[in-house]
Amino acid sequence: MYTKHFSRAVALTGGVLALVAGAHALQKVSRVGRYLYTDDGNRFFIKGIAYQEQGAASTDPNNPFSEPSTFIDPLQDGTACKRDIPFLQQLGVNTIRVYSVNSSLNHDDCMSAFSAANIYTIVDLALPGNGSIDRLNPTWTTNLQDQYINTINVFNKYDNVLAYNVGNEIIVDPSGTGAAPFIKAAARDIRSYLNSVGSSALVGYAAIDGDDNWVLPLAEYLSCDPTSANNGSSAIDLFGLNNYEWCGNDSPSAYSGTNGNFAGYNVPAYFSEFGCVKNPPRLWTEVGTIFSQPMSDIWSGGVAFSYFPAESNDGEFGIVTINGNTVTTNDDFGRLQAQYGNVTFPTVPSKSSAGTTQFPSCPPNNSSWLASNTLPPTPNDNECQCLASTLSCQFTPKTDNTSVIIGSLIDFTCSTLPSVNANCDDISGNGTTGSYGRVAFCDPATKLSFVMSEFYEATNRAATSCDFSGNATVNPNAPTSASAENAAASSCLSNPNAVFTPSSPASASGSSSTGGSTGSGQSGSSGNKNAAESLFESKALFGVGIAALLSVLGSALTLA
């Protein structure tokens, strides 16, 4: 086995040398046409590696991909980063991809050390669990937008952020392509925010590899203009494909289909993950093919997976093991080092001949591509906060871990509202029909308060209708009548379909989130209500049925 052991002293020495040698600002990398270039006019290729220790694997039976339920921020421990930099330099990487970071922590030591070593970062903005666009119940909401912006605010001062990913493998099959409008809306709003703060970082998405009939339309959709006006305001800058089709000692023909699909793609594309484990040993011979013509005419490099050990349903990834401050490399490390060491970046096309980026019309709907060209609006913190203050029945949880109960409470309330001639359309969004309720962009807690209030008003403000097993209370500052409350709420939601440049959250929320998933009850909207339409319609008291339903709720959701 190919192994090397370095002590903490050696690793730190390497880090110090890197800091001395690289004491300069990294060149900005920009999108020109369908390629990446540095300020000096040279083509830029991502020669990277995934850099994140694996968190605790989820035990949720609804999580077939064994995605982590926790994460370890790889950019908050300067000693660990400096320990690893000599090994990353041996590999010759110029980019690392990190999947989850904690915006409440300090990243100065790691980011400055990586910059001094001439290493860029691709930072995924999502977090495990409720901190991402949910593939089953997709939303683009204030809490997610705030989380993304808080992370950008923390990393905006560093010169080596190449790109921010707004999502990773959110869509995994044709039935989930209705989530694409939410991804595209996130890209639109994050791009707008980055422009407003003067950031040159690119906006990207990393897709799982799958059937051509939906992966290619996904790529085209994320880089298209829904208005057919050649406008890139809602387009990503960088498309990543997590591709593992080259296994063992394969041949360049392995990529023939993938190359054909992306031969005419309009924005830079790269392999956001590569390195098959299904046919060991990993020889990494795909590197020579990816970084030479004709693939270099289509792709801008790739990210090998993974530096740290990672378990998957397909096998074990990882090219090192860590024991304290000692790094032990394995055979995969040596083979990747050799392959990366043989790479010479192609120089064509030149920056002056790369042309301009074109943004074509979006792909049409069919049986395997379900996304609407109507995107969700920009989440509006001010409108949601205003609305929350006017609602008559407010979510006041008995637990700090609100993610445990919000989904169930929304599901229960939405299943109950039809019994009082009401519904949850206002909090629902549907990326297939392009219908987005006027409260759909609000955070889950505000959505829950909204439907609780709808139930409370529909039952003539019966005292028992605003309890929800002790998780709701009457708002003493709410308007005194349903009509007055409706007017106040409609005033708060004055422009629920607006698209605008979001601002920085009033207060940093750190890395926590109340969640992108709020339960299945809000999916499948049957249409929007007009903002001027009555919010709370007077209904007859639900009587015995209410008591029975609330009794069931009490037994299911009482939390100490």
Side-chain angles (χ1 to χ4, degrees):
M1 175 178 287
Y2 177 93
T3 61
K4 291 184 179 179
H5 299 271
F6 281 71
S7 67
R8 176 183 180 187
V10 173
L12 289 176
T13 299
V16 171
L17 289 175
L19 286 168
V20 174
H24 62 277
L26 286 177
Q27 291 194 62
K28 181 175 69 174
V29 177
S30 304
R31 182 197 73 207
V32 181
R34 59 176 297 180
Y35 303 108
L36 301 174
Y37 293 90
T38 51
D39 283 343
D40 60 9
N42 290 317
R43 269 199 74 180
F44 180 84
F45 289 84
I46 296 167
K47 188 168 72 167
I49 194 161
Y51 185 77
Q52 183 124 19
E53 292 185 68
Q54 190 173 39
S58 173
T59 57
D60 185 348
N62 296 316
N63 182 2
F65 296 92
S66 299
E67 291 161 343
S69 57
T70 63
F71 71 95
I72 302 167
D73 185 339
L75 300 178
Q76 55 83 32
D77 185 344
T79 299
C81 292
K82 293 167 187 175
R83 172 201 66 201
D84 295 329
I85 283 175
F87 297 93
L88 299 174
Q89 290 175 317
Q90 289 175 50
L91 291 172
V93 303
N94 64 12
T95 306
I96 58 172
R97 179 185 173 193
V98 299
Y99 293 78
S100 301
V101 293
N102 186 336
S103 62
S104 68
L105 301 178
N106 186 289
H107 304 88
D108 290 351
D109 286 351
C110 282
M111 292 299 289
S112 62
F114 283 124
S115 176
N118 297 315
I119 295 175
Y120 293 87
T121 55
I122 297 173
V123 179
D124 285 34
L125 296 172
L127 297 176
N130 293 321
S132 63
I133 297 173
D134 188 331
R135 64 170 60 97
L136 298 179
N137 298 290
T139 58
W140 176 234
T141 49
T142 54
N143 57 298
L144 285 176
Q145 181 175 265
D146 289 352
Q147 173 192 305
Y148 285 18
I149 288 176
N150 282 335
T151 298
I152 290 169
N153 288 346
V154 168
F155 282 84
N156 190 42
K157 61 183 176 180
Y158 306 124
D159 68 355
N160 56 333
V161 177
L162 174 65
Y164 295 104
N165 283 336
V166 296
N168 177 65
E169 299 188 351
I170 294 170
I171 298 173
V172 297
D173 57 42
S175 66
T177 54
F182 300 94
I183 302 170
K184 194 168 179 67
R188 174 200 64 202
D189 295 334
I190 293 305
R191 161 51 54 218
S192 182
Y193 182 75
L194 288 170
N195 290 342
S196 73
V197 296
S199 172
S200 63
L202 306 171
V203 176
Y205 175 79
I208 195 171
D209 203 2
D211 291 340
D212 297 343
N213 63 354
W214 66 268
V215 171
L216 186 57
L218 171 62
E220 294 171 341
Y221 181 85
L222 293 179
S223 63
C224 74
D225 176 17
T227 69
S228 299
N230 195 27
N231 186 312
S233 61
S234 66
I236 58 170
D237 301 302
L238 186 64
F239 180 80
L241 184 65
N242 296 339
N243 181 288
Y244 293 89
E245 65 184 316
W246 181 301
C247 285
N249 192 18
D250 217 324
S251 65
S253 62
Y255 289 129
S256 295
T258 302
N259 289 340
N261 288 338
F262 285 86
Y265 196 50
N266 59 314
V267 301
Y270 73 113
F271 289 147
S272 39
E273 292 174 6
F274 71 87
C276 179
V277 297
K278 288 184 176 180
N279 186 16
R282 291 200 288 176
L283 303 177
W284 302 107
T285 48
E286 65 264 50
V287 167
T289 301
I290 293 171
F291 288 90
S292 61
Q293 289 183 302
M295 285 195 73
S296 60
D297 295 332
I298 303 170
W299 303 92
S300 292
V303 174
F305 193 88
S306 151
Y307 181 77
F308 295 103
E311 297 286 344
S312 77
N313 294 333
D314 290 330
E316 182 177 346
F317 298 82
I319 62 175
V320 304
T321 54
I322 308 293
N323 184 9
N325 291 307
T326 299
V327 177
T328 303
T329 64
N330 62 26
D331 290 345
D332 277 357
F333 182 100
R335 287 187 288 263
L336 180 60
Q337 179 185 16
Q339 292 293 332
Y340 266 169
N342 289 330
V343 168
T344 299
F345 292 156
T347 59
V348 293
S350 66
K351 187 175 183 179
S352 60
S353 61
T356 58
T357 308
Q358 302 297 309
F359 301 97
S361 299
C362 297
N365 298 106
N366 56 46
S367 60
S368 58
W369 182 251
L370 310 177
S372 169
N373 289 340
T374 301
L375 305 184
T378 303
N380 191 320
D381 276 308
N382 291 334
E383 289 193 358
C384 294
Q385 291 166 7
C386 174
L387 175 66
S389 68
T390 70
L391 296 172
S392 55
C393 182
Q394 295 181 325
F395 175 48
T396 52
K398 297 167 64 176
T399 174
D400 291 334
N401 188 11
T402 57
S403 63
V404 173
I405 60 172
I406 283 184
S408 296
L409 282 166
I410 287 182
D411 284 349
F412 172 82
T413 309
C414 287
S415 68
T416 302
L417 285 175
S419 301
V420 290
N421 298 320
N423 58 58
C424 278
D425 286 355
D426 275 327
I427 70 165
S428 303
N430 189 316
T432 297
T433 63
S435 301
Y436 310 102
R438 56 186 178 142
V439 191
F441 60 73
C442 288
D443 61 280
T446 300
K447 289 181 182 180
L448 178 53
S449 292
F450 183 90
V451 293
M452 284 176 166
S453 296
E454 197 165 20
F455 181 78
Y456 181 56
E457 296 296 339
T459 58
N460 293 330
R461 297 193 173 187
T464 56
S465 296
C466 183
D467 180 76
F468 295 88
S469 297
N471 289 297
T473 54
V474 173
N475 177 11
N477 298 316
T480 56
S481 67
S483 59
E485 183 172 355
N486 175 68
S490 297
S491 176
C492 290
L493 301 171
S494 58
N495 194 3
N497 297 313
V499 174
F500 56 93
T501 298
S503 58
S504 185
S507 60
S509 61
S511 63
S512 62
S513 169
T514 52
S517 170
T518 55
S520 59
Q522 62 170 301
S523 63
S525 170
S526 59
N528 295 338
K529 288 185 179 179
N530 186 281
E533 190 176 340
S534 177
L535 178 62
F536 300 112
E537 300 175 7
S538 179
K539 305 290 191 303
L541 187 62
F542 196 40
V544 177
I546 292 175
L549 286 169
L550 291 179
S551 175
V552 172
L553 179 67
S555 61
L557 293 172
T558 299
L559 294 173

